[in-house]
Amino acid sequence: MKLVWPSAKLLQAVAGASLRAYHHVTRSVLPLLLEQYSKHSQSSQRRTILEMLLGFLELQQKWGHVEEDESTLLSLRAPVCSVVFSALTDPSVQLQLVGIKALTVLGSLQGFLSPSDLELVVDHLIHLALREEDSQSSEAAMEAAGSLAPVYPKVFSGRMVPRLEEELQSEREQESSRDHCSLRQRCLQALAAVSTHTSIVRETVPVLLQHLWKVHKGSEAGNAQDIVSVCQSLHRVALQCQQDAEGCWYYHQTVVPCLLAMAVQAAMQESTHPLLGKALLEEEVLAAMVPVISAATTHLSPELAAQSVSHVVPLFLDGEVSFLPQNSFPCSFQPFEDGECLEAQRRLVALLMALVCSLPRNVAIPQQERLLRELLALSCSCNCPFTATTAAKCFAGLVNKHPAGQQLDEILQLAVNRMEPSLAEGPRRTQALTLLLWVTKALVLRYHPLSSHLTDKLLGLLGDAELGPAVADGFSLLMAKSPDVLHKGCHADVRIMFRQRFFTDNVPKLVQGFYKAGPDVKANYLKGLSHVLNHLPKPVLVTELPTLLSLLLEALSCSDHVVQLSTLSCLQPLLLEAPQIMSLHIDTLVTKFLSLTSSPTMAVRIAALRCAHALTSLPTTVLLPYKARVIRALAKPLDDKKRLVRKEAVAARGEWFLLGSPGR
């Protein structure tokens, strides 16, 4: 067994040289491997033999389809399948995983598996995906099903999907114990994983939607997590459909109206039946629906996207529900009207945002100016933070794509006129700040001239005692990639190097503001600066390091753990990329890092230990005077109550022990 691996590798290298060599080697080797597999009963030995067999199977993939009379593999179909199927039923998880890989390769070989073999393949994959206790085997089986489904769509849609639907139905009828919830979750994941061909998508999507309707209507209506699980599966299917125009349109016109209909129905019932459908209005559920609708929209052709938005915008502006399935609602849908009873309806603006902010830029949005005004009013006046934020994001997403010109200038001026008085005083300063941040981000991304005015407004608010900390955190929002709007995946106007431009224009102002600010608000400027630097490409940051390093070191003394964490995250890569500059401040760096290893915040302790570890990349001559001191100080976090902290302490202290050793 010791010589098996090197022998197999040499033979595989020879077999990979040419088709003729492959036939010659496999004619001798494959029967031998199959014989060895049956002789050895231990799972570890069988795994080794199967891995070698897998190497030869993958070479058959390389040479492609071959004639039946030439292929040794075809003549050994029955014993090869028997070996692979036996691996799938073995108790050893590692052997199962190799068996699943081998099964995927066999399935990709054209004409290798017989119809009866294919049925067995599907049965094994279903069992592993749903019943196997180990999550690794379950996930690998789902991935294998996704890989093989496009090759054998009829087999998977005719055998696997009905079995999964049956399991889901039986689980829904069982009591909602922990085991049943886990199995239901796996059924939903398996349905999504196998949806890699349009014909299968047409089978799985109705099953997922039917399950969603029953959860929404039935006694389980309060279980928000179950609805989130279905939405996660629908999202995966949407991503898998995106490259196929026919599948993408089928998915969009089937799923989007259904989700909107359920949400609208739940919002209208909120006033009369508070418990019925309330789960659909929870933030986590609406947040899970957003990526489903967005992924279903981003890859539509302009013509089909225009057709879809022509229904959705009138739904929100005029209550036009005729295109929704099961559209006999008890009252009218008016999310932009005033009234406390409409609060539930206003929350659905998140779903409007998901669709209109994911459209290609060349798709005209009907009644866009009216829609922008309604969103602006809602974002400034709504008391619900979730609704106000989603309205602000939707407004910003539309502004970012709006063609330049008088109409855009007018709507932006209207927004500024609404924001500035609200920011100055009143009960809705937070809503006004949220809108300011999102509009600023929308304009910064597209280099709009007004962005500098709005950024200056934010810089001024850093000195505000009430809003200052939130403004400082807002600089992270300006620089980071947003998951649902204002990114390239949803066709936003994102200019190249916008972060570098923002840095050049605004960091000098941040530094100047820090030195002028009073002691009670200095932390806001440091936090804002650390957020900007954290999202800046490291090569750019290295060039600016000499002027900023003293300020970063001062930020480590700030009592705010968010500032400390951001600064440490910023400094760690710089220790590796700019060792000469950092060496000049070694005394301060060692002192600060060791001090922060005792921070009450676990994340700060971990980041400080990682920085102490990164210090060892500096020149050895600079570090040696500090070696004994650091090793002593790092003994304390070895006894930290958190395992992750202890792990980092061991790694850092070990590197410091080895400092100056021969060969280092």
Side-chain angles (χ1 to χ4, degrees), residues 118-336:
L118 282 171
E119 290 182 359
L120 267 175
V121 167
V122 171
D123 292 344
H124 279 298
L125 290 177
I126 291 172
H127 178 81
L128 287 166
L130 301 186
R131 307 292 175 185
E132 181 54 46
E133 287 184 17
D134 190 89
S135 61
Q136 286 184 83
S137 295
S138 175
E139 289 167 11
M142 292 182 199
E143 291 299 322
S147 299
L148 295 176
V151 187
Y152 309 102
K154 287 185 179 178
V155 178
F156 278 85
S157 63
R159 191 171 183 88
M160 190 167 190
V161 176
R163 288 274 299 278
L164 291 172
E165 182 179 8
E166 187 180 316
E167 290 281 357
L168 195 60
Q169 179 67 32
S170 64
E171 281 309 304
R172 197 163 47 230
E173 292 166 0
Q174 299 285 340
E175 290 184 21
S176 189
S177 68
R178 185 175 178 179
D179 289 341
H180 289 306
C181 288
S182 174
L183 185 55
R184 186 185 309 151
Q185 188 102 345
R186 284 194 177 185
C187 285
L188 294 172
Q189 290 169 350
L191 283 166
V194 79
S195 303
T196 49
H197 188 275
T198 303
S199 64
I200 301 174
V201 170
R202 291 178 180 273
E203 303 290 332
T204 56
V205 164
V207 174
L208 290 168
L209 292 178
Q210 182 186 28
H211 180 68
L212 193 58
W213 272 109
K214 288 185 177 177
V215 173
H216 166 51
K217 286 184 171 180
S219 59
E220 302 166 274
N223 186 2
Q225 188 52 51
D226 203 11
I227 300 176
V228 170
S229 297
V230 182
C231 289
Q232 288 169 344
S233 292
L234 286 169
H235 182 229
R236 180 171 178 176
V237 178
L239 294 175
Q240 292 166 177
C241 286
Q242 286 180 337
Q243 303 309 319
D244 175 58
E246 180 192 347
C248 188
W249 177 236
Y250 164 78
Y251 181 92
H252 183 93
Q253 65 178 352
T254 306
V255 173
V256 173
C258 182
L259 292 181
L260 287 172
M262 277 190 280
V264 169
Q265 186 181 74
M268 291 181 176
Q269 288 174 340
E270 174 72 2
S271 55
T272 53
H273 303 86
L275 294 177
L276 189 61
K278 189 167 186 177
L280 271 172
L281 302 174
E282 291 184 18
E283 284 182 28
E284 64 170 327
V285 173
L286 292 172
M289 287 184 176
V290 166
V292 177
I293 296 174
S294 180
T297 306
T298 52
H299 284 64
L300 290 179
S301 67
E303 297 77 22
L304 296 175
Q307 185 179 328
S308 179
V309 76
S310 68
H311 294 304
V312 174
V313 172
L315 166 68
F316 280 84
L317 288 180
D318 305 312
E320 180 52 64
V321 298
S322 58
F323 80 103
L324 298 177
Q326 302 187 21
N327 55 17
S328 55
F329 301 120
C331 57
S332 57
F333 183 60
Q334 300 171 315
F336 290 115

Side-chain angles (χ1 to χ4, degrees), residues 88 126 185 360 616 641-642:
L88 298 177
I126 291 172
Q185 188 102 345
T616 57
K641 60 184 178 181
K642 296 293 185 180

Side-chain angles (χ1 to χ4, degrees), residues 433 455-475 506 509-511 513-514 517-518 520-529:
L433 174 60
T455 308
D456 288 343
K457 187 74 180 170
L458 287 171
L459 290 168
L461 287 169
L462 284 170
D464 186 284
E466 180 188 352
L467 294 180
V471 175
D473 286 330
F475 278 88
N506 297 295
K509 298 175 186 175
L510 271 170
V511 174
F514 168 78
D520 53 333
V521 294
K522 276 185 181 291
N524 298 338
Y525 289 89
L526 288 174
K527 190 189 289 188
L529 177 66

Side-chain angles (χ1 to χ4, degrees), residues 419-438:
M419 287 186 289
E420 288 189 339
S422 300
L423 285 167
E425 57 181 0
R428 295 200 170 92
R429 297 187 77 198
T430 304
Q431 289 95 317
L433 174 60
T434 301
L435 179 62
L436 174 61
L437 285 167
W438 281 103

Side-chain angles (χ1 to χ4, degrees), residues 437 455 458-459 461-463 467-480 502-503 506-511 514 521-536 548 551-552 555 558 560 562-564 566-567 570:
L437 285 167
T455 308
L458 287 171
L459 290 168
L461 287 169
L462 284 170
L467 294 180
V471 175
D473 286 330
F475 278 88
S476 176
L477 185 152
L478 295 179
M479 300 296 283
F502 187 89
F503 172 86
N506 297 295
V507 164
K509 298 175 186 175
L510 271 170
V511 174
F514 168 78
V521 294
K522 276 185 181 291
N524 298 338
Y525 289 89
L526 288 174
K527 190 189 289 188
L529 177 66
S530 63
H531 283 315
V532 173
L533 299 182
N534 251 321
H535 292 93
L536 200 66
L548 293 172
L551 201 57
L552 286 171
C558 179
D560 189 322
V562 176
V563 177
Q564 293 171 348
S566 298
T567 309
C570 187

Side-chain angles (χ1 to χ4, degrees), residues 11 37 81 90 132 143 218 263 505 510 520 606 618:
L11 287 165
Y37 187 91
C81 286
D90 194 273
E132 181 54 46
E143 291 299 322
D505 291 347
L510 271 170
D520 53 333
I606 290 173
L618 301 186

